[in-house]
């Protein structure tokens, strides 16, 4: 049994003009997939894995068309080469669902459709998506199996990917040919209001394994969607893979209705508010470390990562004891490495990637520490401005784990106020947060959803519109009638 594996994985906000380019991606080619932590389940598969290529990046703006075309062509070339060696029995694509390409409406649909043309109509295709991805009928029409993450934060990434692969292997072994049914849901909310740690998402997602056990159903998924892309395919969705058309339709419609019915109950998990209010709470907190998230500039959701609004506020209001982590600024890091540790210098920080939408900050700082993060391949520096410390990076990253600042000798459990560019925090960060606060800041992933420019999303969609009825109707893959 030969199973080919590849894909494209990132999130793209349409509220920044900073395009993602080839250099922003980590690309795994051939046998690199087999030794990657991201695909650590592949070596234990019972199938013969044919690794193609997989490109993945920190979320950001749209992917440049030239970068997308380059990746797509390489993937297809590797797929065609694999097909010349011997037939493949199945294709597994590890995708995201929120890729937006400059000048291309439905990148995943385009990618998967091209793959389908290469492997032909009889080869089963299984895909895994982030639950914060957007779907289209074009995507559904190309695939045989679909599965998505069931946890946010994403503690089940590898589990989901392995399930998608194993479902495909089972199809090859049994000869069964499932299909995909889906119901677009006119609700579009940020991940920070739909975390599966909190209700009502916690209960909604807890019911999915029960659907899997229903006779005629292979896999059930519930998509939150990706809200910061103003595109036609932006919506939540219930997705069911199965072999019984009646059961698939009924289950998808039931799942979709359950999500729509609680749309007004989705709330932020942590305490939220303006930057000034959240910093005031942090300063007064009798416990520590306070973990305060700069949610509008979260690179993990598509933020640029170069905004300095929190730093500017802390300096202006003398918020000593704050540790501000994760400002992306390659020129500033280069300056620090050139001067060395212990040196005082004037420095400009921020607005190097998206100067049209943010302004830099200038200050006098001491370079306390410089380090290379060998695990992630970037250089970082720790600065001190009158008791306010700042961690800067020469590459965009989400510093969402306490270990991310260990190369600088920092122990976050000993800090008073920790500011990170993040939305909802990781389980490891949640363990030390005492408490967790979220500042509703500006940026490419602004949490004030109803105020976002909304030109292309389906209408009506909650919360952009609120007074409308919804009757779920399942759509099935075109492959249902072709079998």
């Amino acid at each position: 049994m030969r199973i080919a594996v590849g894909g494209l994985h990132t999130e793209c906000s349409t509220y920044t003009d900073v395009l993602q380019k080839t250099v922003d991606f980590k690309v795994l080619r051939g046998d690199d997939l087999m030794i990657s932590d991201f695909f650590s389940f592949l070596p234990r598969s019972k199938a013969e894995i044919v690794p193609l290529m997989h490109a993945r990046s920190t979320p950001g703006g749209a992917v440049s068309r030239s970068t997308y075309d380059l990746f797509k062509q390489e993937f297809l070339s590797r797929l065609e080469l694999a097909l010349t060696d011997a037939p493949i029995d199945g294709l597994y694509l590890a995708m995201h669902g929120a890729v937006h390409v400059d000048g291309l409406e439905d990148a995943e649909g385009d990618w998967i459709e091209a793959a389908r043309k290469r492997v032909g109509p009889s080869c089963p295709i299984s895909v895994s998506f982030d639950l914060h991805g957007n779907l289209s009928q074009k995507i559904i029409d190309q695939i045989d199996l679909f599965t998505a993450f069931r946890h946010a934060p994403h503690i089940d990434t590898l589990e989901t990917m392995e399930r998608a692969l194993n479902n495909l292997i089972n199809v090859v072994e049994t000869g069964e040919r499932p299909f995909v049914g889906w119901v677009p849901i006119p609700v579009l909310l940020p991940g920070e209001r739909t975390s599966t740690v909190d209700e009502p998402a916690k209960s909604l997602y807890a019911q999915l394994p029960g659907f899997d056990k229903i006779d005629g159903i292979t896999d059930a998924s519930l998509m939150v969607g990706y809200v910061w892309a103003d595109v036609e395919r932006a919506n939540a969705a219930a997705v069911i893979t199965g072999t019984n058309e009646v059961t698939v339709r009924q289950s998808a419609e039931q799942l979709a209705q359950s999500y729509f019915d609680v749309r007004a109950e989705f709330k932020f998990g942590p305490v939220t508010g303006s930057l000034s209010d959240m910093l005031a709470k942090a300063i007064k907190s009798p416990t520590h470390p306070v973990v305060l998230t700069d949610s509008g500039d979260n690179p993990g959701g598509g933020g640029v990562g170069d905004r300095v609004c929190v730093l500017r506020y802390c300096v202006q209001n003398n918020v000593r004891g704050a540790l501000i982590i994760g400002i992306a600024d390659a020129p500033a890091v280069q300056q620090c490495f050139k001067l060395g540790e212990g040196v005082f210098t004037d420095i400009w920080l921020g607005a190097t990637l998206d100067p049209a939408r943010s302004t830099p900050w200038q200050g006098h700082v001491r370079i306390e520490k410089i380090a290379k993060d060998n695990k992630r391949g970037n250089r970082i520096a720790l600065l001190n401005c009158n008791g306010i410390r700042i961690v800067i990076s020469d590459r965009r990253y989400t510093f969402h784990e306490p270990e991310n600042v260990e190369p600088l000798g920092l122990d976050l459990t000993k800090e008073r106020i920790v500011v990170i560019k993040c939305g909802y925090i990781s389980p490891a960060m949640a363990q030390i947060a005492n408490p967790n606060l979220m500042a509703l800041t500006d940026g490419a992933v602004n949490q004030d959803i109803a105020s976002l420019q909304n030109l292309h999303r389906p209408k009506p969609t909650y919360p952009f519109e609120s007074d409308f009825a919804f009757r779920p109707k399942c759509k099935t893959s075109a492959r249902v009638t072709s079998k």
Side-chain angles (χ1 to χ4, degrees), residues 263-334:
R263 63 195 179 281
E265 298 177 24
F266 290 103
K267 308 294 182 184
F268 291 113
V271 174
T272 61
S274 68
L275 175 60
S276 58
D277 286 347
M278 293 303 97
L279 276 171
K281 286 182 178 294
I283 293 168
K284 294 177 183 177
S285 175
T287 58
H288 66 274
V290 178
V291 176
L292 173 64
T293 59
D294 177 5
S295 63
D297 198 31
N298 166 27
V304 178
D306 71 342
R307 298 179 69 88
V308 290
C309 57
V310 178
L311 171 60
R312 181 178 288 110
Y313 185 93
C314 287
V315 171
Q316 290 174 348
N317 293 275
N318 196 27
V319 184
R320 297 194 177 191
L323 174 64
I324 302 169
I325 299 174
I327 298 171
D329 194 319
V333 173
Q334 182 179 9

Side-chain angles (χ1 to χ4, degrees), residues 276-434:
S276 58
D277 286 347
M278 293 303 97
L279 276 171
K281 286 182 178 294
I283 293 168
K284 294 177 183 177
S285 175
T287 58
H288 66 274
V290 178
V291 176
L292 173 64
T293 59
D294 177 5
S295 63
D297 198 31
N298 166 27
V304 178
D306 71 342
R307 298 179 69 88
V308 290
C309 57
V310 178
L311 171 60
R312 181 178 288 110
Y313 185 93
C314 287
V315 171
Q316 290 174 348
N317 293 275
N318 196 27
V319 184
R320 297 194 177 191
L323 174 64
I324 302 169
I325 299 174
I327 298 171
D329 194 319
V333 173
Q334 182 179 9
Q335 178 181 343
C336 293
F337 270 73
K338 181 178 179 180
L339 294 175
E341 295 177 354
V343 174
F344 285 88
T345 184
D346 291 324
I347 199 166
W348 287 90
L349 290 178
T352 56
L353 296 172
D354 196 2
R357 288 181 170 83
S358 60
T359 54
W361 170 85
Q362 184 184 27
H364 191 67
V365 300
R366 180 179 184 269
I367 305 170
E368 290 198 348
K369 182 81 173 177
I370 57 176
K372 293 183 179 179
D373 184 345
N374 294 325
K375 185 174 182 180
R376 301 202 294 182
N378 62 316
R379 300 192 301 175
I380 52 181
L382 175 64
L383 312 178
N384 192 316
C385 178
N386 295 325
I388 300 168
R389 287 167 300 149
I390 314 135
V391 174
I392 61 176
S393 171
D394 65 353
R395 293 179 61 189
R396 297 175 56 254
Y397 271 116
T398 302
F399 286 74
H400 56 79
E401 304 290 350
E403 66 182 34
N404 297 150
V405 292
E406 288 178 358
L408 292 170
L410 294 171
D411 179 355
L412 297 189
T413 64
K414 298 178 180 179
E415 298 294 333
R416 181 176 166 223
I417 300 172
V418 176
V419 181
I420 56 176
K421 291 182 177 295
C422 200
Y424 55 71
I425 59 178
S426 71
M429 196 67 78
Q431 285 187 344
I432 70 170
N434 191 21

